[in-house]
Amino acid sequence: MDIEVIKPGLLTTIQDLGRPGYYHLGIPISGAMDRHALRAANLLVGNDEGDAALEAVFTGPELTFTDHRIIAVTGADLPPKVDGESRPTWAAFEVEPGQTLSFGFLKRGARAYIAISGGFEVPLLLGSRSTYVHGQFGGLDGRPLKSGDRLPAGARKRQSGSRLRVADEMRRTMPADVVLRVLPGLYNHRLTPVAEQRFYDDTWAVAPDADRVGYRFRGGSPLEFKAREQPFGAGADPSNIVDACYPYGSIQVPAGTEPIVLHRDAVSGGGYFTLGTVIAADMDLIGQLQPHQKIRFAPVDMPTALAARRHEADRLDRLRRGYG
């Protein structure tokens, strides 16, 4: 059955867990910016954890349903309503044929995930239903939703309680002081020691143009580079290198002024040096940062990064045991 889009919201796209395996060909992994929230929403409504859901940025869509569905909204605190009556976030609730799902004002976070029982059955492309807007493929015609769209919904896979709720300890909360942990490299040797230390000491703010390609930060000190003769193939600016691959989460700093953390729709390579990579455990958190949010970067070593990844994996296992 189809779901009619009455209002699309500011930027609402269909996302799943992405299409890994093609990054070396220049195709980004895409998928949900907050994968834990997408998984939780799907498990609440009885879907497989990687099924396609809606990712809504800052404002929610308005949707009218033609059949009975279980709904869950997770991630950002974007209050859902059914025919104008409030429903909880991080919990399953029902909608009946003819009812309309809408949203109140955003209270916290940046991206909400809206899962429906059965998921959204747009065509698979390279193993994923995720929308890659810059490439104009995936999702619904490779673009954000617009008014009048009809979203194809799949068949319900398994029973799910309509009153299930994710416990607080299994949700990601936004800390008062946001610290993004960084594994230094691959080109941090290009910086003076003073400049590298200052990068971690400074407080940065999310820039208004942060998006799925990269989160840009402002407000810190410009970087200072060690003097060198630029090699053949690199540009004249000291932040340029001979083109190289970019890991997911890597931090490039064009002109040495504003760091950009490359995210789900990022390019896979280019000619800017990277001073480090945000660890995998903190990438979902970036997806929930609003413009002007203050953050700091903190260097960590590999054992710390791996321990943080295990912690996130344990939390996901508890979520699967509780709701899968």
Side-chain angles (χ1 to χ4, degrees):
M1 302 295 284
D2 289 348
I3 298 165
E4 183 177 3
V5 179
I6 308 301
K7 296 179 181 177
L10 181 64
L11 182 62
T12 304
T13 57
I14 293 174
Q15 301 292 344
D16 55 20
L17 291 177
R19 49 179 66 85
Y22 304 95
Y23 204 45
H24 65 295
L25 300 175
I27 299 174
I29 48 181
S30 297
M33 293 280 283
D34 184 345
R35 293 158 295 169
H36 185 81
L38 176 123
R39 286 176 161 124
N42 274 321
L43 292 174
L44 280 169
V45 300
N47 291 348
D48 296 334
E49 64 183 56
D51 280 348
L54 297 179
E55 179 182 88
V57 183
F58 302 145
T59 63
E62 190 172 311
L63 309 171
T64 295
F65 290 77
T66 56
D67 63 352
H68 173 269
R69 295 281 168 176
I70 305 294
I71 309 289
V73 180
T74 60
D77 192 357
L78 188 65
K81 300 177 182 178
V82 175
D83 285 351
E85 293 186 5
S86 297
R87 294 291 185 272
T89 56
W90 294 90
F93 57 88
E94 295 174 274
V95 292
E96 301 296 339
Q99 288 193 308
T100 297
L101 175 69
S102 61
F103 292 85
F105 293 111
L106 179 69
K107 296 180 178 178
R108 194 176 304 107
R111 288 173 173 82
Y113 293 87
I114 306 160
I116 66 166
S117 51
F120 295 95
E121 285 208 332
V122 293
L124 282 167
L125 182 67
L126 300 178
S128 171
R129 305 183 201 278
S130 286
T131 311
Y132 175 42
V133 173
H134 291 278
Q136 299 182 359
F137 63 77
L140 190 68
D141 301 327
R143 59 169 172 76
L145 303 190
K146 62 182 182 181
S147 298
D149 280 341
R150 300 193 74 86
L151 305 175
R156 193 167 174 174
K157 296 180 176 177
R158 60 183 72 90
Q159 286 296 118
S160 167
S162 61
R163 297 181 182 278
L164 280 177
R165 175 181 176 275
V166 173
D168 291 347
E169 63 270 21
M170 287 189 233
R171 308 179 189 183
R172 180 184 298 284
T173 57
M174 185 65 66
D177 298 316
V178 177
V179 177
L180 300 178
R181 292 166 288 184
V182 175
L183 201 59
L186 297 169
Y187 298 92
N188 58 324
H189 62 274
R190 293 279 298 108
L191 297 174
T192 66
V194 170
E196 186 171 14
Q197 184 59 51
R198 192 183 299 140
F199 172 81
Y200 293 113
D201 290 342
D202 283 347
T203 297
W204 300 84
V206 177
D209 53 354
D211 61 16
R212 291 180 51 83
V213 175
Y215 254 65
R216 182 184 290 266
F217 296 87
R218 294 174 176 167
S221 304
L223 299 178
E224 297 168 350
F225 294 85
K226 294 176 181 174
R228 71 166 183 173
E229 181 180 346
Q230 288 290 86
F232 176 79
D237 189 282
S239 68
N240 290 146
I241 58 170
V242 178
D243 283 7
C245 300
Y246 292 149
Y248 164 61
S250 59
I251 307 170
Q252 60 174 219
V253 193
T257 56
E258 296 181 350
I260 301 171
V261 179
L262 300 180
H263 221 293
R264 305 296 294 186
D265 286 351
V267 295
S268 55
Y272 290 117
F273 97 111
T274 56
L275 62 76
T277 302
V278 174
I279 66 173
D282 288 350
M283 290 300 287
D284 284 4
L285 174 60
I286 292 177
Q288 294 297 353
L289 297 178
Q290 295 184 6
H292 311 299
Q293 168 75 50
K294 299 287 193 344
I295 67 103
R296 284 190 308 106
F297 295 99
V300 296
D301 57 16
M302 182 62 81
T304 302
L306 293 176
R309 190 173 69 174
R310 282 195 298 273
H311 178 79
E312 286 299 306
D314 289 344
R315 188 172 64 150
L316 177 58
D317 283 342
R318 293 199 303 274
L319 185 72
R320 288 167 174 153
R321 288 196 297 271
Y323 306 96

